[in-house]
Amino acid sequence: LYSDKVLEHFAAPHNVGELPDADGVGEVGNAKCGDIMKMYIKVDDGKISDVKFKTFGCGAAIATSSIATDMIKGASIEDALKLTNSAVVEALDGLPASKVHCSVLAEQAVKAALADYYRKQ
Amino acid sequence: LYSDKVLEHFAAPHNVGELPDADGVGEVGNAKCGDIMKMYIKVDDGKISDVKFKTFGCGAAIATSSIATDMIKGASIEDALKLTNSAVVEALDGLPASKVHCSVLAEQAVKAALADYYRKQ
Ligand code: FES
């Protein structure tokens, strides 16, 4: 049902937590299941120097956020804004069709956190 | 949004895992979000001597299963069959309305595992 990469990131997700001194915070909700995702980013010299997330969402939401935060950590803001849901799902070697709605949270939370960062400038 | 008890059980869920020598195994799915829950029980002298669960479900599914397995561990089969979803949610000091559908997995998985146990007798 789930790829080895999904199970790995679910069992030991990367970048879980909060950043008290975040430069941007994004909070997004999943209308389908009522789950919530919160993402914190730290920006230095136009690059994402740190990122953490917290969610009450399911294993697919946890795994996609784990790999999405890996993908944007150290990236420029421009590259982070280009992150798509399908790139995240591909990096996980796929997700069951019934769980693709969960993966949307990660992409949305990254964009919400960056929007919050720009709003604060 | 979530009670302290829900957050406690989400952060450090009880009885997570599998029982290779289970007397009954129940697997149930959540049509709304596509999540799956698997519950394993061991029965000795008409009592549930051990119970473990595995899920890819969200924090609410994890917390309700954690407390539900606590509630049935050591209980008679009759008492375990009487476990209701609302008793589980009450034991957690409540759940947001949008997450009550997740808590149903725990009650259903307990009943499915007991049904499997009876089938095997
Ligand atoms: S079912 Fe809610 S995030 Fe996956």
Side-chain angles (χ1 to χ4, degrees):
Chain A
L1 187 59
Y2 292 103
S3 75
D4 287 345
K5 275 215 184 126
V6 172
L7 297 174
E8 256 172 61
H9 281 271
F10 175 52
H14 308 172
N15 309 309
V16 171
E18 302 174 47
L19 291 176
D21 58 343
D23 297 311
V25 181
E27 184 167 336
V28 294
N30 195 319
K32 192 167 175 204
C33 60
D35 284 327
I36 280 167
M37 165 88 54
K38 214 162 170 179
M39 202 164 283
Y40 303 79
I41 53 163
K42 191 92 195 103
V43 178
D44 285 298
D45 289 330
K47 278 193 173 16
I48 295 177
S49 55
D50 205 1
V51 52
K52 298 243 183 253
F53 76 94
K54 279 191 100 174
T55 185
F56 219 65
C58 71
I62 292 170
T64 46
S65 308
S66 172
I67 207 159
T69 50
D70 279 354
M71 288 162 91
I72 64 164
K73 205 166 170 174
S76 67
I77 294 181
E78 289 71 36
D79 284 344
L81 279 170
K82 282 187 217 142
L83 184 83
T84 63
N85 184 47
S86 54
V88 172
V89 172
E90 206 176 294
L92 283 173
D93 296 332
L95 270 179
S98 65
K99 302 306 287 177
V100 170
H101 76 274
C102 312
S103 68
V104 179
L105 281 178
E107 181 197 323
Q108 289 175 340
V110 169
K111 296 203 162 85
L114 287 168
D116 183 52
Y117 164 74
Y118 277 118
R119 218 165 14 234
K120 283 175 176 156
Q121 296 308 296
Chain B
L1 187 60
Y2 291 102
S3 75
D4 287 346
K5 275 216 185 123
V6 172
L7 297 174
E8 256 171 62
H9 281 270
F10 175 52
H14 308 172
N15 309 308
V16 171
E18 301 175 47
L19 291 176
D21 59 343
D23 297 312
V25 181
E27 184 167 337
V28 295
N30 195 321
K32 194 169 174 204
C33 56
D35 285 328
I36 280 168
M37 165 90 54
K38 214 160 171 180
M39 201 165 284
Y40 304 78
I41 54 162
K42 190 92 195 105
V43 177
D44 286 298
D45 288 332
K47 277 190 175 14
I48 295 175
S49 55
D50 205 1
V51 52
K52 298 244 183 252
F53 76 94
K54 278 191 102 173
T55 186
F56 217 66
C58 69
I62 292 170
T64 46
S65 308
S66 172
I67 206 159
T69 50
D70 279 353
M71 289 163 90
I72 64 163
K73 205 166 171 176
S76 67
I77 293 181
E78 289 72 34
D79 284 344
L81 280 171
K82 282 187 215 141
L83 183 84
T84 62
N85 184 46
S86 54
V88 173
V89 172
E90 206 175 293
L92 283 174
D93 298 333
L95 271 178
S98 66
K99 302 305 288 174
V100 170
H101 76 274
C102 312
S103 67
V104 178
L105 281 179
E107 181 198 322
Q108 289 176 341
V110 169
K111 296 202 162 85
L114 287 167
D116 183 52
Y117 163 74
Y118 277 118
R119 222 169 5 238
K120 284 176 176 158
Q121 295 308 297

